[in-house]
Amino acid sequence: MGHGAGSPDHQRRWAPRLRIDYPEPGRHALPRRLRDDADPIAAFDDLLAQVIDQWEFTPDTAVADLSGGMDSANVALSLAQLHPGRVATGAMLLTGPYGQQQARRRAELRRAGFAEDYRLAMVDHLPFAPEGPRVRGEQFHPQEGPYAEARNLLLDRYAAAGATVVFTGLGGDEAMKLRTGETAHRPTKPRREPPLRTGHNHEPLYLGGRGRRLLAARYDDAAPIGPTLWSILDAYAALYPHYMRRGLWPINPLAAPQIVRLAESLPALWREGKRLLRGRLTRRGFSHEVAHPPLPENFQHILDLAMRRHGVRLLESLLDGGSRLVADGYLDEAELRRACHCFATTGQRTYEVYRPLILEAGLRSLHRPVRSGSAPADPAAAQPDGT
């Protein structure tokens, strides 16, 4: 009679034969010198259309993220060019002056030719709100980002409307980034405030002794670089399950190897400040506000608002109840309490309270038993907002 798969004899017999080999590192391009007649914008326009055409999908069941940012805007415009009036759009809406600018820019972009528009106000679903899913204890991965409350409700709306694929702008930041050597002699904009207080080795001060030791070894035995950067793969791992649980398949054309190779091959001046993406919008006739919005095109003010309203008090309550990460030596309680007081007083250095909070809350959620069934769909999901 043979040994069971889990028996000690079986493990001794097979363990020496197990070997894990990494593939060779992915090949990456270096910037080239352009010919006098080269047209990077036209090349990017053609290549992005070719990349999108690689996927088989029904345009009438596709949604394009259209926050107004450079990345998603360029992907959405290619979809409108390929399938006029058939692809829907969606966005999480900002608030205040940022939201007003976003509304104007989205309205102009949508005139390129889209179907329905699905909108969700982020201020009504702030990160770590008391009634939100993460505070209620639903499981989440700390790397999935601070905006899961709003994003997942928007995905519910897509699914309820019959969508099957969602096109995003994920990968645009990485494709357009400058290499270290390319930024050495370029003036950098002064930061309004440093995001974190750091020690002599540039480690966050809120790390405990065990956390500092792990930080020093974070690159040990790292896998080789792939054709798509590791930060994109991390985002895939954290975000894809939320799409796929709802029957949605996320597609990220700007993370495709062909787009990455083109961007890497371009001189730095075409990637700096996303000149390639902005230049394409300008060539397509969009206004200066669309191509060069004066207000920052990110969700930072939403996170700042959420941490002021909910996050800092939640972190303090977790510390009062006994933080698992503090107990295990990963975080330093005294520094975290100092960071909470500093943020509550000044509203500065949001990430000194956000990052420890999402790590602690995420760890606690993953230790809770998985709930059966899925979250109910948004009751208003089947009612798209036309523009």
Side-chain angles (χ1 to χ4, degrees):
M1 185 173 178
H3 294 288
S7 70
D9 287 343
H10 179 90
Q11 293 171 359
R12 282 195 294 269
R13 186 167 68 247
W14 288 104
R17 301 186 188 182
L18 176 64
R19 189 180 76 188
I20 299 176
D21 289 331
Y22 283 123
E24 291 298 314
R27 296 179 65 85
H28 284 257
L30 293 174
R32 300 179 182 183
R33 182 176 180 179
L34 295 180
R35 296 185 318 208
D36 292 340
D37 61 346
D39 188 345
I41 293 176
F44 173 67
D45 201 326
D46 291 342
L47 183 59
L48 185 54
Q50 293 173 28
V51 167
I52 290 174
D53 260 347
Q54 290 180 143
W55 283 280
E56 293 185 6
F57 66 96
T58 302
D60 302 293
T61 62
V63 180
D65 282 344
L66 189 62
S67 66
M70 291 301 108
D71 306 335
S72 64
N74 273 272
V75 172
L77 289 176
S78 289
L79 286 161
Q81 186 175 355
L82 292 167
H83 308 287
R86 299 181 64 186
V87 176
T89 56
M92 298 183 293
L93 301 183
L94 307 178
T95 188
Y98 305 93
Q100 295 165 12
Q101 173 185 272
Q102 181 191 35
R104 291 191 301 269
R105 296 176 67 246
R106 292 190 75 248
E108 186 175 340
L109 287 164
R110 275 188 44 82
R111 286 198 286 272
F114 295 97
E116 294 85 3
D117 188 34
Y118 298 92
R119 302 188 294 264
L120 187 141
M122 296 188 75
V123 72
D124 296 332
H125 308 282
L126 289 176
F128 297 110
E131 68 279 5
R134 288 192 277 204
V135 175
R136 292 199 307 266
E138 293 187 15
Q139 291 185 337
F140 72 95
H141 193 294
Q143 285 183 286
E144 69 185 38
Y147 313 113
E149 286 85 347
R151 184 196 62 236
N152 290 345
L153 283 175
L154 189 59
L155 295 180
D156 285 338
R157 294 191 177 190
Y158 296 164
T164 58
V165 297
V166 180
F167 284 85
T168 84
L170 188 67
D173 289 340
E174 288 77 5
M176 294 290 111
K177 76 171 187 176
L178 297 178
R179 295 174 172 84
T180 302
E182 294 171 332
T183 62
H185 304 294
R186 295 175 183 269
T188 56
K189 295 180 180 179
R191 280 186 180 272
R192 186 181 60 182
E193 62 170 83
L196 300 171
R197 290 198 316 136
T198 58
H200 295 300
N201 297 317
H202 302 291
E203 77 283 3
L205 289 183
Y206 57 68
L207 288 180
R210 194 173 184 182
R212 293 168 191 265
R213 290 192 296 273
L214 286 177
L215 185 66
R218 65 191 183 279
Y219 297 125
D220 291 356
D221 300 320
I225 295 174
T228 297
L229 298 178
W230 65 267
S231 55
I232 296 295
L233 300 179
D234 273 356
Y236 286 178
L239 298 178
Y240 271 28
H242 296 281
Y243 287 81
M244 298 177 72
R245 289 189 193 111
R246 293 163 170 82
L248 301 169
W249 186 259
I251 299 178
N252 313 289
L254 297 183
Q258 304 97 306
I259 297 292
V260 173
R261 178 63 59 89
L262 172 65
E264 289 175 336
S265 301
L266 291 174
L269 64 89
W270 282 98
R271 286 175 275 118
E272 185 177 17
K274 300 189 177 180
R275 177 185 172 187
L276 179 71
L277 305 184
R278 298 179 194 277
R280 183 177 180 231
L281 297 182
T282 300
R283 184 175 293 186
R284 292 283 297 271
F286 290 101
S287 68
H288 185 80
E289 185 180 44
V290 168
H292 299 272
L295 296 178
E297 49 190 45
N298 57 48
F299 298 122
Q300 183 63 51
H301 72 287
I302 292 290
L303 181 58
D304 294 342
L305 176 62
M307 295 306 296
R308 288 196 302 270
R309 286 191 181 178
H310 312 300
V312 68
R313 289 194 296 274
L314 177 59
L315 179 56
E316 288 175 328
S317 71
L318 294 177
L319 291 174
D320 291 341
S323 162
R324 299 185 182 191
L325 292 174
V326 167
D328 289 340
Y330 295 106
L331 299 178
D332 182 281
E333 181 173 358
E335 280 296 332
L336 288 178
R337 291 193 181 278
R338 184 213 60 78
C340 287
H341 175 75
C342 177
F343 180 79
T345 303
T346 67
Q348 295 183 351
R349 294 194 175 97
T350 306
Y351 285 97
E352 283 192 359
V353 285
Y354 163 70
R355 288 179 178 172
L357 173 59
I358 201 166
L359 285 172
E360 178 73 27
L363 175 66
R364 289 170 180 247
S365 79
L366 295 174
H367 278 76
R368 293 188 177 95
V370 179
R371 299 182 181 184
S372 60
S374 57
D378 180 358
Q383 302 298 323
D385 297 313
T387 48

